[in-house]
Amino acid sequence: MKKRTKKRRTTREKQAQSQKRRKNILIAFMCVILICVGYIGADAFMIRHSNPIRQAEEVTQKNDSGKAAEAQINYSSLGVPSAALDNSLMLSSVINEAQKKGFSSISFELKREDGTIGYTSNLTTVDTFGAISNPAKKLHDSLKTLSEKKITPIARICCLKDNAAAKKSADMAVYNGDKVYTDSDGNRYLNPDNADAIKYLKDIVIESYNLGIRIFVLSSTDLPKSVRDGHNDGFAAISKQLAGEVGGDAVFLEAVNATVNGWSEEYGEYNEEGLKSEIEKLDALKSNQIYVISTEKDLEEINSALKTRISGYIIYEE
């Protein structure tokens, strides 16, 4: 009997030890899972809240309640093709030109008037609409290089005029009666009251912000007069929605288009006096506006002349 009792006791002890080992293994396994989940959560937080590559010195953080940050605009920005941001030969050429001609910034089109996207986007909607064209293939790396050269990048976004998304997704387009609205040039427009259309713009801003862009210049924020009534369009409305999705260091500026070539009415030719006269006719802008100037003349000459009167502008060749 004693032998049987001892044998049973040994068996129970082994079972208890086995259960304890299984319990310890289960606890260790759960700890590993919790640690992995923690790391994944931390990665998501870091992606969403990562600091900019280099915060522009001019930015004042004032993004409470979805308001766009204000900035003391002091940029002379050279407009370049999006594809130039390749972090290679084209970018080097652009940097050399900007430095040689006295520009403190370069700007490129993030979203163009035809609706195409000027950077390599990972957004499903951009892919679905087939919107990518001649993109900045290495935008993030290019922004790092520009930061090292102390050149401020500015992204231009054509908001509502859009022949890509508004064409592929009629639900996102502005209607005139029961038909999709097109202007006299055949252009379509995103509906600023459509949740999917606004989300599309927001996603582009969020993605490019996470890549390092901090200054956004918005154009086409107003719908054509014939279809404007009843819509929540305009720079104030759209910039507020976009600003609410990103950090307080993001700046949203309204594009004001102008042409400066130096034409002299008096002499009937392009000359220095004509250039001075054209620049003097440019109106003073609000603090949240910036001139986007097209020209056929020498960029260095135009830049030097503009600096005497205007504190912030983008110049591009026609």
Side-chain angles (χ1 to χ4, degrees), residues 10-24:
T10 302
T11 301
R12 284 198 296 269
E13 288 175 354
K14 287 182 179 180
Q15 289 175 343
Q17 289 175 354
S18 178
Q19 289 176 353
K20 187 176 181 180
R21 281 197 298 270
R22 286 198 296 268
K23 185 177 180 181
N24 289 338

Side-chain angles (χ1 to χ4, degrees), residues 159-295:
C159 294
L160 300 183
K161 186 185 291 186
D162 190 308
N163 289 321
K167 195 170 185 178
K168 291 291 182 70
S169 178
D171 291 341
M172 293 167 60
V174 170
Y175 275 71
N176 187 11
D178 59 352
K179 295 182 179 179
V180 172
Y181 170 80
T182 56
D183 62 19
S184 57
D185 294 320
N187 295 308
R188 296 189 180 200
Y189 293 79
L190 293 174
N191 184 346
D193 300 309
N194 180 275
D196 290 336
I198 289 297
K199 185 179 184 302
Y200 179 60
L201 295 177
K202 287 179 178 179
D203 287 345
I204 291 170
V205 168
I206 292 169
E207 185 177 46
S208 57
Y209 175 88
N210 287 337
L211 289 171
I213 292 293
R214 291 297 177 268
I215 304 173
F216 300 88
V217 173
L218 309 183
S219 62
S220 185
T221 55
D222 292 316
L223 290 171
K225 291 182 180 179
S226 59
V227 289
R228 184 177 297 171
D229 289 349
H231 287 292
N232 188 32
D233 64 340
F235 174 76
I238 291 176
S239 64
K240 183 177 180 180
Q241 292 192 71
L242 300 183
E245 299 298 316
V246 292
D249 54 344
V251 176
F252 292 83
L253 303 173
E254 181 179 15
V256 178
N257 295 323
T259 300
V260 174
N261 285 317
W263 175 256
S264 172
E265 294 288 347
E266 182 179 354
Y267 294 98
E269 63 181 11
Y270 296 101
N271 58 33
E272 189 175 336
E273 287 301 315
L275 181 58
K276 182 179 178 181
S277 176
E278 278 189 344
I279 292 174
E280 286 178 348
K281 290 177 182 178
L282 295 175
D283 296 327
L285 298 181
K286 298 176 183 178
S287 62
N288 62 352
Q289 294 178 317
I290 187 171
Y291 272 115
V292 179
I293 297 172
S294 63
T295 186

Side-chain angles (χ1 to χ4, degrees), residues 109-182:
E109 291 179 304
L110 201 67
K111 180 178 179 290
R112 307 183 184 96
E113 281 196 357
D114 61 1
T116 56
I117 303 301
Y119 71 104
T120 303
S121 172
N122 291 318
L123 296 174
T124 303
T125 46
V126 170
D127 181 58
T128 300
F129 301 146
I132 296 176
S133 176
N134 297 319
K137 292 183 178 179
K138 294 186 177 180
L139 180 57
H140 180 67
D141 292 337
S142 295
L143 295 177
K144 283 185 176 180
T145 301
L146 290 171
S147 174
E148 292 167 1
K149 299 294 183 180
K150 300 189 183 304
I151 295 176
T152 302
I154 297 178
R156 292 156 56 197
I157 299 178
C158 180
C159 294
L160 300 183
K161 186 185 291 186
D162 190 308
N163 289 321
K167 195 170 185 178
K168 291 291 182 70
S169 178
D171 291 341
M172 293 167 60
V174 170
Y175 275 71
N176 187 11
D178 59 352
K179 295 182 179 179
V180 172
Y181 170 80
T182 56

